[in-house]
Amino acid sequence: MPGYRALRPASLIAAVVAVTAAQPAVTAPARAVPNLQMVAGTTAGDSATAKTVTAACPAGTSVLGGGGEIIGGAGEVVFTGLRPTPALNGYQAGAHEDDTGYGGSWSLRAYAVCGSAPAGVQYVAATGPGSAGVTYTSVFCPGGKHIVGMGGHVNNSLGQVMLLGSNPFDPAEVLTPAVPDDTGHPGTWTLESVAVCANPIPGRTVVYGSSVNNSATPKSATATCPAGTRVHAGSSSIGGFPDTNSLIRERIVPNAALTSVTATGRETAGAGSPDNWSVSAYAICAP
């Protein structure tokens, strides 16, 4: 309105300007890894014997960790891999029907947790030979770097090797165990352990949650990040004694808010397991 400001006393105008100038700027809290987000990729739902899918990170971001889930499968489909891609541009899940096959439709979903590449980020992996029993392969972050993501992969699994987990031994080791199923493996297989490493991130922590240890199936566990932190990577492990080769991981999923990771496991179809067993979920969290 013309002349409107002229109607205001000069002293009042000065006071309003002074109060406005004194207000502090409101800024979002600093994030250890900016642009943190989760994306997913899903295969078709059909009866194909083996499937692989990659959740691709948006341009300008790098994968930290992720997860996956077998949708359907009725305990007759096993993970062959859950791992960040070597180029750090996505997270890949692989699965295969067991040696007796599965007649129904199933699908496979991969989740990737992506963000701006942290300082010193790099992909490292180690591969070891398989055996007739439980096999372990470890990979270590170099030069004082810490784990920010993890995964594992069975080469030539034929659906007859159980990928039992990718376990973070803080701050620099990822241990990946696997075991042939009840009928064994007819050939040669190898086991790869994967880590995404970076310079130490302030406030980074590793948390876990475990299910009850009994013979019920299926069962789940959730790892919840401390307040003020978010999931940068997730994983799980499954085990029982002595019947580990009758157990499969079925689901390792960060929630949409990136505040927790939930893992689900079950006994294989048919024989199952009479022994007590449990599933654990892991989350690497940072502000």
Side-chain angles (χ1 to χ4, degrees), residues 2-280:
Y4 179 75
R5 286 180 61 85
L7 299 176
R8 300 288 186 181
S11 60
L12 179 58
I13 295 171
V16 171
V17 172
V19 169
T20 301
Q23 298 300 310
V26 177
T27 58
R31 294 292 186 188
V33 177
N35 302 314
L36 196 69
Q37 58 194 287
M38 184 169 70
V39 296
T42 308
T43 69
D46 56 32
S47 58
T49 301
K51 298 177 182 177
T52 301
V53 63
T54 299
C57 288
T61 65
S62 177
V63 71
L64 302 171
E69 59 182 323
I70 298 165
I71 303 167
E76 296 186 75
V77 178
V78 301
F79 281 120
T80 57
L82 287 165
R83 55 178 174 170
T85 58
L88 296 179
N89 57 3
Y91 196 91
Q92 185 180 82
H96 198 293
E97 294 180 1
D98 65 17
D99 58 339
T100 63
Y102 176 63
S105 293
W106 61 281
S107 60
L108 179 65
R109 182 172 295 146
Y111 298 90
V113 179
C114 312
S116 299
V121 67
Q122 69 179 104
Y123 172 100
V124 294
T127 301
S131 69
V134 179
T135 298
Y136 302 90
T137 300
S138 282
V139 65
F140 295 86
C141 290
K145 294 183 179 182
H146 292 176
I147 307 160
V148 293
M150 59 208 140
H153 178 74
V154 180
N155 301 295
N156 193 37
S157 80
L158 304 179
Q160 293 181 258
V161 179
M162 311 301 192
L163 186 61
L164 298 176
S166 289
N167 308 333
F169 284 83
D170 208 28
E173 180 188 5
V174 176
L175 176 69
T176 300
V179 66
D181 65 15
D182 287 329
T183 62
H185 189 285
T188 299
W189 60 279
T190 61
L191 177 62
E192 181 184 49
S193 189
V194 174
V196 179
C197 306
N199 295 346
I201 295 174
R204 171 193 166 281
T205 187
V206 179
V207 296
Y208 74 96
S210 293
S211 72
V212 295
N213 185 51
N214 59 25
S215 60
T217 186
K219 56 173 66 86
S220 296
T222 298
T224 301
C225 288
T229 67
R230 294 192 296 170
V231 173
H232 289 56
S235 187
S236 73
S237 63
I238 190 169
F241 183 82
D243 206 17
T244 299
N245 55 7
S246 294
L247 306 172
I248 62 171
R249 297 186 302 159
E250 193 171 59
R251 187 173 186 268
I252 303 96
V253 182
N255 69 348
L258 291 178
T259 56
S260 67
V261 174
T262 297
T264 301
R266 70 168 58 242
E267 297 174 6
T268 55
S273 173
D275 302 309
N276 291 341
W277 61 278
S278 62
V279 60
S280 295

